[in-house]
Amino acid sequence: MTTSSSLQPPSPARPSSPLGLHRVIDPPGVLPQAAWRLDTDPAIARDEVRVRVDRLNLDAASYRQIRETYAGDPDKIRAAVLEIIATRGKMQNPVTGSGGMLTGTVAEAGPESPLGLLPGQRIATLVSLTLTPLVITDSLYRWDGRSEQVPCEGHAILFARSIAAVLPDDLPVPLSLAVLDVCGAPALTMRVVKKGSVAVIIGAAGKSGSLSVAAARQAGAARVLGVVPTATEAALLRDTAGLADEIVVADARDPVGLAAKVEAAGGPADVTVVCVDVAGCEGGAILSTAPGGTVIFFSMATSFSAAALGAEGLAADVTMLVGNGYVPGHADLALDLIRTTPGLRALFERRVLAEGGKP
Amino acid sequence: MTTSSSLQPPSPARPSSPLGLHRVIDPPGVLPQAAWRLDTDPAIARDEVRVRVDRLNLDAASYRQIRETYAGDPDKIRAAVLEIIATRGKMQNPVTGSGGMLTGTVAEAGPESPLGLLPGQRIATLVSLTLTPLVITDSLYRWDGRSEQVPCEGHAILFARSIAAVLPDDLPVPLSLAVLDVCGAPALTMRVVKKGSVAVIIGAAGKSGSLSVAAARQAGAARVLGVVPTATEAALLRDTAGLADEIVVADARDPVGLAAKVEAAGGPADVTVVCVDVAGCEGGAILSTAPGGTVIFFSMATSFSAAALGAEGLAADVTMLVGNGYVPGHADLALDLIRTTPGLRALFERRVLAEGGKP
């Protein structure tokens, strides 16, 4: 049906947009993420990169929806994923709207690609599969349909403004993927935390949380407080000696209780980073932050209106940032934190294990 | 049933919290906004203020819900609002969760209140009715139930961290209220826009939008672009000569189209301010902003995840701010902009008229 991308001759020039607008087939004019269908032609433009794909990492919500729809039947699950990709030219679950990421090897990099990738490099994409042109050529025969990890063959296209990270040789791939998945959080934390300040990380024993604790420390925070929901999580964080100065066990959904405990532990914060995927943490984060301070919301469970109206209702003069998953240099920064922060890698590996992955 | 607040003797000291936690009856320990029931005792703590209320300005969504539930029957509408306030000790619609604001006269200010209010001053509250202890004493007999504006008698309590603005003598009350309702937007715009920068205001002919245009100009922006959805809105903005340098007619929900038009008009923006209450404007705002720039989201229709994932998907290194309705000095700043910006008051009055109010 499709030729293997590695057999393609060098591609001729074709007009392109850094955002991939030239790959949008239907409806015309929208961004690739909003498109119903993308052009998967393996011939790349001068600023594109073609990747030989070896694995898809499906978004958890998308995988769950498909698995439940087909009652776990592997053949039907495989067929459903193949059907989506063949129809849409990308892996975007029409029900959940979500995608995932992929790993593969650079097959061809256009001479004007700004991504700095070289043929043969093993990479992970850090932009969503929902905007990445994708072709699968092996019928997913190696996938048992029982996991979000989908071994496969095929090709994908990266645009000039796509983001990809070269997978490091010195770390196991599942560990690197878990780090790259949340690498925006430590990068933005590093940018916002000032030397000598007090940083409070809510959800400090999680993946984005523990990286943000390490980033706050590296940025020169005088005091880093890690907030966790349970004694078990506190123990996990405590095992990573020296990562957080103080560990606060508190329910982040209780604004008054959280703020009181943060204050007792050396708060309020100059910078509060919300890394816990639970709804209702806006008020507690705002109340734990000093006037003139900053709250960074990284949790996808954040409610825009709860944050905006909450700060107004508390007359809180705090700057509130939407956690942008993209900060230049974020991948390298996060991988370096894992390498250089004592204990952080061990904590991370336990997290990855707990999620059913291999460390 | 209740004594008029103006007849109260000076209040004795009672223990208090700046956030009003001491007024929370049920459930104990939550913030006043989250409480089911507040204590409306007219005796104030040393840091509280008691207000003689003369008007409630119900939140539009709340009023609509009540009116529709009772098919516009004035007696039933009045009874429903009275019942909510008597039961909860505050005006918070249990269905919509929203409240509104009030105007009144300062009856008594505790000696430790930081709000700087004096007895006899006419004020508007800038914190929501959903967290303001309130008693109504006149059965709302002067309200016909046909408008969100509710003339009334009663009392309300302000906490140390409440926000209230003294209504100016030189502006009509409905105009002042309309300005105060959106005064956070120009204040934050003023704080973020740097001298010599390019500012793009999306929804520039609206209330928060036109104030933000004026604020960007006053902050020293080299170029202010006003984005409006229609030629009618463009004409409204154009009549206010000199407010915006360029007027861009574009659909803010079309990222590619918007960014192209903004670019053609002198963009991209160093600061983009989203003031239009329409869903789906996140991508366009991000794409219209230069790398390293800032997007301020003031629209309550903003989706947190659309903003976060949108920036990541576009590899856009932009700072994204949740528009905080509270910035110190925001009320005076906005009222001064209305007084001193040529044409802005006229535009605003036309907006207020169009919404069915008196200018």
Side-chain angles (χ1 to χ4, degrees), chain B residues 49-55 101-107 115-126 156-158 162-168 173 176-177 180:
Chain B
V49 169
R50 190 177 63 254
V51 177
R52 194 166 59 244
V53 181
D54 55 39
R55 181 178 294 262
M101 57 197 285
L102 63 83
T103 60
T105 306
V106 175
L115 302 182
L117 298 175
L118 299 172
Q121 285 180 324
R122 184 96 197 277
I123 63 156
T125 57
L126 302 187
I157 305 295
L158 304 182
S162 296
I163 324 170
V166 176
L167 289 169
V173 171
S176 294
L177 288 180
L180 294 173

Side-chain angles (χ1 to χ4, degrees), chain B residues 70-156:
Chain B
Y70 298 103
D73 181 321
D75 290 334
K76 290 182 179 165
I77 291 173
R78 266 193 298 270
V81 171
L82 282 169
E83 170 72 14
I84 290 171
I85 296 171
T87 307
R88 306 197 62 175
K90 60 177 179 174
M91 179 56 210
Q92 182 173 26
N93 183 323
V95 179
T96 63
S98 56
M101 57 197 285
L102 63 83
T103 60
T105 306
V106 175
E108 183 189 0
E112 290 167 17
S113 167
L115 302 182
L117 298 175
L118 299 172
Q121 285 180 324
R122 184 96 197 277
I123 63 156
T125 57
L126 302 187
V127 286
S128 171
L129 287 178
T130 60
L131 56 88
T132 304
L134 176 67
V135 170
I136 296 298
T137 54
D138 73 341
S139 305
L140 301 180
Y141 75 93
R142 287 184 294 147
W143 182 39
D144 64 6
R146 300 221 165 111
S147 146
E148 301 154 23
Q149 304 279 332
V150 185
C152 64
E153 286 171 32
H155 78 260

Side-chain angles (χ1 to χ4, degrees), chain A residues 19 21 161 163 191 256 287 297 299-300 302 304 308 311-312 314-326 328, chain B residues 19 21 161 163 191 256 287 297 299-300 302 304 308 311-312 314-326 328:
Chain A
L19 298 170
L21 301 174
R161 263 176 89 161
I163 324 171
R191 192 186 265 191
V256 177
L287 211 51
F297 290 105
S299 164
M300 278 299 153
T302 302
F304 182 87
E312 184 177 298
L314 296 167
D317 181 20
V318 294
T319 299
M320 296 185 286
L321 297 180
V322 177
N324 181 348
Y326 176 67
Chain B
L19 298 171
L21 300 174
R161 262 176 90 161
I163 324 170
R191 193 185 264 190
V256 178
L287 211 51
F297 290 106
S299 165
M300 279 299 152
T302 302
F304 182 87
E312 183 176 299
L314 296 167
D317 180 19
V318 294
T319 299
M320 296 185 286
L321 296 179
V322 177
N324 181 349
Y326 176 67

